[in-house]
Amino acid sequence: MVEETAIGPQHLIYPFFLKDGKNIKEEITSLPHNFRWSLDRLLAEIDECMNLGIQTFDIFPAVNENLKDKIASYSYAEDNFYLEAIRQIKARFPESVIMSDVAMDPYSSDGHDGYVENGKIDNDKTLPILAKMSLAQAQAGVDIIGPSDMMDGRVGLIRETLDNNGFTDVSIMSYTAKYASAFYGPFRDALNSAPKSGDKKTYQMNPGNKREALLEAQLDFDEGADMLMVKPALCYLDVIHMLRENFPIPITAYNVSGECAMVYAAAKNGYVDYNLAVYEILLSIRRAGADGILTYFAKDFAKMIRK
Ligand code: PBG
């Protein structure tokens, strides 16, 4: 009765890695409990998760190197397996909520979220590419567009593009305060999407900055974001709290791959109790002010709660 914060599977968004092919379920070495799935196996997994009360899924594509180029053209190609998978998932589970990732890195031969020219990220040349990618995803049936690229001005252009094409009810969860973090390593292994040169510090935020997150949030809010995300979650609980106090739209947090990998490793060695640690972590992110949490713990947590 007196516990102030509640956490259940309805608050969670479960990230999946999708690979082209059939009958694939490859465990990710640096992110145990998580897999690269082919669509056939993923459909069965989604069914299981929905029976456990998880309704929202974020899907990331692992793209073959030979399909990558400088302009990420595969991201909106007709025969893109990721877009086809989204179509099939929405056809089979119309009541599921499907979130996408918008950024160039899984499709880019440079491994950067933006367009690279002479070793530099060109913010404004990136925007139309992100808009095309978003439109293709909306056409495939995505419910929530998730721009994770941190380019300036992309929320506005994506909103305008969606609206002009009749997708007024597709929402945008903006990666608003995404920090240049050490905790994305396992994710980049999963997708083989690490930058080929340089780092992401010219577009992702400096971990020492908090007030800057207010500016990023104001821009995304003004440009039409429906939800604001903070990422990673655990080193940035203060930022989650600050956005929650200052913006009247849902706030979400991404409990990223490296954060979950630390817990898997410690639990495997018997240093912490897995279930208790997961519960406390997710509860703390909610207490800081997150409405929704993206987390690789989603299924394990839902199973634990059921027990
Ligand atoms: C890339 C993207 C990243 C994550 C989500 N989208 C990695 C990055 O920015 O390099 C990280 C998620 C995680 O670590 O779990 N646009």
Side-chain angles (χ1 to χ4, degrees), residues 101-117:
D101 188 63
V102 170
M104 288 177 64
D105 56 336
Y107 315 96
S108 151
S109 43
D110 294 302
H112 273 288
D113 295 22
Y115 177 74
V116 180
E117 204 162 70

Side-chain angles (χ1 to χ4, degrees), residues 33-52:
H33 304 221
N34 289 272
F35 305 86
R36 286 182 209 90
W37 302 90
S38 56
L39 177 62
D40 50 348
R41 302 282 295 267
L42 184 61
L43 288 169
E45 177 71 2
I46 290 178
D47 196 23
E48 234 182 82
C49 291
M50 290 189 66
N51 286 326
L52 288 165

